[in-house]
Amino acid sequence: MDVSNADQVAFRNNVELQLQQGANMALMEAVVWESQTGAEKIKVKDIFEAKRAKSASERNGRTVWDDPTNDGVWLAKPDELYEAFLIENADQLKTTISLGGAATMITAQTLNRARIQRVLEGFYAPIISGKQGTTSTAFPAAAEIAATVGGAAGAQPMNTKKLRQAKLYLREGFVDPTAQAYMVLTAEDNDALLDEVPATSTDFQRAFGAKVDEAGNLIAMLGFKFIHLELDDPNLDTIPALATDGSGYRRNPFWVKGGLVGNYWQQLRSKVGEVAELRFNQGTLGGTTLAATRTQAGRCGTVKCLKA
């Protein structure tokens, strides 16, 4: 861990990290979590087929029996995401900063983003289903609200018409109308919604259920709870590409509770110790192993939005 710029400097306050996204509790709470271990691939959901009622049109007629048919939703164990530091003893002697403490802080924030990354990777990825988890179903085009919705011509930023279309998509897919719905908003999306004149009016708030906090962040609207997250963050590794379509439009995720399921094989692996073969310098490592998946196509979708 190179601390050449910190040599001979005593800091009055704790180490400060570079500006970055950290934990997002709102996102994690919108996922249904499990903690199954001991297998490379696990079943996280059994989905049973909908049936039509039969008509008893004959007197004393025979009963027509059905077998309950179900399909599984599966998760494959991904590679661990981790961060590790080796702290050179000579570096520690040259500064009053606790390099071990700094490494711990950096690792904690890195793993928080790793969990966000895995959840969103699972959202955009195909659903793995079937009796043995051998069927792969890509994200359906029908589940994507077009970028042109809400405008006279051309692609539009986030707007209330797109929220209404997303709500309509869920309801027409027979999603329970009482189920809590979630949507990811970037700062740009939040600003675009606030830019619609009625967004802060009392009448609009009553009609659309809009709630705004003291910082100007939309908390909810039209039954959606908003999760504020920057999808173009390069520190989320794979997510900026997954959250952008071929035309460069942002793909904002939305889903209902139960539509996104995650599993921790190991929520946290934490190791701190001296590395004997490296002159007993201190090594720190933190890792997490998790994955997530959509459960049914009708429970999830994306809203395509023009980026500024």
Side-chain angles (χ1 to χ4, degrees):
M1 190 173 189
D2 184 12
V3 292
S4 56
N5 292 330
D7 293 359
Q8 306 300 328
V9 179
F11 284 85
R12 189 173 300 173
N13 298 313
N14 290 331
V15 174
E16 180 176 333
L17 299 181
Q18 183 182 20
L19 290 174
Q20 57 190 285
Q21 288 196 105
N24 193 308
M25 294 306 299
L27 175 64
M28 295 302 156
E29 289 170 2
V31 180
V32 176
W33 288 102
E34 298 191 11
S35 297
Q36 299 185 48
T37 59
E40 285 284 332
K41 186 167 61 177
I42 60 168
K43 184 191 285 188
V44 293
K45 185 78 72 173
D46 278 297
I47 298 174
F48 286 82
E49 183 182 12
K51 297 289 187 180
R52 293 182 182 179
K54 298 171 179 61
S55 175
S57 56
E58 300 177 355
R59 289 179 55 81
N60 299 316
R62 289 184 172 274
T63 302
V64 179
W65 301 97
D66 274 337
D67 289 326
T69 30
N70 68 296
D71 202 359
V73 177
W74 300 76
L75 272 176
K77 186 183 78 64
D79 293 335
E80 178 185 48
L81 292 177
Y82 75 94
E83 180 59 283
F85 290 99
L86 184 64
I87 299 169
E88 173 69 46
N89 184 62
D91 288 340
Q92 182 61 80
L93 295 176
K94 292 188 290 184
T95 180
T96 58
I97 300 171
S98 169
L99 298 183
T104 300
M105 292 171 62
I106 296 168
T107 299
Q109 290 291 71
T110 302
L111 295 187
N112 284 330
R113 285 192 300 276
R115 295 181 183 110
I116 294 171
Q117 176 186 329
R118 286 294 193 229
V119 168
L120 293 177
E121 283 175 343
F123 178 89
Y124 292 113
I127 296 175
I128 306 302
S129 60
K131 298 295 183 183
Q132 303 299 324
T134 56
T135 302
S136 177
T137 306
F139 207 104
E144 300 195 305
I145 308 304
T148 54
V149 169
Q156 304 295 316
M158 180 63 77
N159 54 58
T160 52
K161 179 63 175 176
K162 290 182 179 182
L163 297 183
R164 291 165 58 192
Q165 284 291 107
K167 185 181 179 74
L168 185 63
Y169 170 77
L170 293 173
R171 297 299 175 259
E172 288 182 341
F174 310 112
V175 169
D176 182 351
T178 65
Q180 179 60 61
Y182 303 92
M183 183 180 292
V184 172
L185 287 187
T186 67
E188 192 174 273
D189 300 320
N190 186 82
D191 189 62
L193 284 172
L194 291 176
D195 199 40
E196 296 190 21
V197 177
T200 54
S201 74
T202 303
D203 290 342
F204 185 85
Q205 289 181 26
R206 287 198 198 99
F208 280 51
K211 298 179 182 178
V212 185
D213 67 17
E214 294 178 354
N217 297 311
L218 277 160
I219 301 169
M221 188 185 293
L222 284 169
F224 288 99
K225 276 189 178 180
F226 295 129
I227 298 167
H228 293 270
L229 178 65
E230 296 307 307
L231 295 169
D232 286 333
D233 182 355
N235 287 323
L236 291 178
D237 194 19
T238 57
I239 302 309
L242 291 172
T244 305
D245 77 354
S247 299
Y249 303 137
R250 183 182 297 114
R251 301 172 67 207
N252 292 61
F254 67 89
W255 67 95
V256 294
K257 191 72 171 181
L260 194 54
V261 175
N263 186 75
Y264 279 112
W265 279 262
Q266 189 173 41
Q267 187 166 0
L268 176 64
R269 182 165 74 100
S270 179
K271 299 293 180 182
V272 178
E274 296 175 336
V275 184
E277 63 270 25
L278 296 175
R279 298 196 305 273
F280 289 92
N281 285 321
Q282 182 180 335
T284 70
L285 181 145
T288 186
T289 305
L290 70 148
T293 181
R294 291 172 291 117
T295 57
Q296 296 187 63
R299 285 174 169 262
C300 307
T302 65
V303 176
K304 291 189 177 183
C305 295
L306 179 69
K307 299 183 185 183

